[in-house]
């Protein structure tokens, strides 16, 4: 019997970022973890583990990767396979914290829409910034998330721990996926994770940014299906 899949979504993102994958597994139990009801990584993790099946495949994107690392610390025996997309294992450095504080200041001054627009260049490569379909999805996901949830997610991200010291303890098959023009995470971030997790595999997706599941579903969905199902 196929194991259930738990999807962990990133900041300012909703189920829409997973739609190509959800469409690919219509007959499989797929659960999208709640990324709206807490303001700490530990809170997100506790809620995920409380709602998830006893054993599952874990697929995490961006902020969801921080939750995934916490899941692997708390309950590694419950995860059969791990896929990480557009994420990093380190804690924030000063530059990242300053950027996030800038977003918080904008939101608190009533300019949440400006935050959304400022993120477009780091979400998508230049060649895709005129793609109204992609921009529309990103803007709608942000609107559906809302300012208050965004602030809670920011607080969780800023307070996260450095997960790198324990990456070597992850003992399940692990796949990393990175868009080669991601403006938020880098190749070095992903290579650091892949090198630290025994047997981990890194797949780089040309021409994509931070949201490869919707930018290149024809590439990413088969990769994930092959990894999960075999």
């Amino acid at each position: 019997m196929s194991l259930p899949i738990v999807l962990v979504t990133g900041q300012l993102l909703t189920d829409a970022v997973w739609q190509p994958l959800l469409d690919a597994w219509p007959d499989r139990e797929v659960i999208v973890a709640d990324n709206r009801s807490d303001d700490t990584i530990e809170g997100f993790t506790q809620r995920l583990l409380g709602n998830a099946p006893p054993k599952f495949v874990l697929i995490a994107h961006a902020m969801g990767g921080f939750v995934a690392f916490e899941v692997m610390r708390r309950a590694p025996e419950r995860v059969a396979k791990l896929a990480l997309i557009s994420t990093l294992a380190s804690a924030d450095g000063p530059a990242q914290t300053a950027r996030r504080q800038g977003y918080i200041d904008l939101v608190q001054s009533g300019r949440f829409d400006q935050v959304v627009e400022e993120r477009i260049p780091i979400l998508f490569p230049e060649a895709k910034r005129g793609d109204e379909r992609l921009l529309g999805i990103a803007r709608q996901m942000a609107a559906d998330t809302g300012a208050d949830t965004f602030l809670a997610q920011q607080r969780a991200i800023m307070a996260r721990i450095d997960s790198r010291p324990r990456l070597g303890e992850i003992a399940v098959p692990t796949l990393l996926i990175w868009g080669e023009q991601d403006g938020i995470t880098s190749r070095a971030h992903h290579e650091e994770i892949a090198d630290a997790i025994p047997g981990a595999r890194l797949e780089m997706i040309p021409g994509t940014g931070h949201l490869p599941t919707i930018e290149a579903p024809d590439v990413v969905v088969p990769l994930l299906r092959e990894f999960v199902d075999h």
Side-chain angles (χ1 to χ4, degrees), residues 1-194:
M1 179 180 294
S2 298
L3 284 172
I5 297 168
V6 175
L7 305 174
V8 198
T9 312
Q11 184 182 44
L12 275 187
L13 305 176
T14 69
D15 295 13
V17 80
W18 300 115
Q19 197 58 54
L21 203 56
L22 295 171
D23 292 342
W25 274 308
D27 300 320
R28 185 124 180 198
E29 183 181 1
V30 181
I31 300 162
V32 182
D34 181 354
N35 72 342
R36 302 176 59 88
S37 299
D38 298 279
D39 61 0
T40 65
I41 298 302
E42 294 79 9
F44 291 131
T45 303
Q46 184 173 341
R47 190 177 300 275
L48 182 156
L49 290 171
N51 294 327
K55 191 90 170 181
F56 54 90
V57 174
L58 185 59
I59 302 177
H61 179 269
M63 179 186 77
F66 311 150
V67 178
F69 292 133
E70 186 68 18
V71 169
M72 298 308 299
R73 284 189 287 273
R74 292 189 183 202
E77 72 285 353
R78 294 181 60 182
V79 179
K81 293 183 179 182
L82 174 65
L84 300 165
I85 305 168
S86 307
T87 197
L88 65 161
S90 58
D92 268 1
Q96 294 164 309
T97 297
R99 173 169 59 85
R100 297 190 198 284
Q101 186 59 52
Y103 289 154
I104 290 172
D105 294 343
L106 284 173
V107 173
Q108 291 178 336
S109 64
R111 292 181 285 170
F112 176 61
D113 288 348
Q114 186 175 332
V115 171
V116 176
E117 295 308 311
E118 285 193 7
R119 283 172 58 86
I120 295 295
I122 60 175
L123 290 178
F124 299 113
E126 186 174 359
K128 293 186 176 177
R129 292 174 202 159
D131 187 325
E132 290 304 320
R133 183 189 70 86
L134 287 175
L135 296 186
I137 293 172
R139 288 171 176 145
Q140 188 61 55
M141 286 193 293
D144 290 343
T145 299
D148 289 343
T149 296
F150 172 73
L151 290 176
Q153 292 173 343
Q154 281 286 63
R155 287 191 289 270
I157 290 170
M158 292 168 74
R160 76 187 187 278
I161 67 170
D162 187 341
S163 293
R164 291 175 297 180
R166 296 187 62 178
L167 291 177
E169 298 173 13
I170 296 176
V172 297
T174 302
L175 171 68
L176 287 89
I177 294 176
W178 174 64
E180 286 190 307
Q181 296 183 53
D182 187 347
I184 297 177
T185 67
S186 69
R187 178 172 183 157
H189 288 138
H190 289 78
E191 289 180 338
E192 181 176 46
I193 298 169

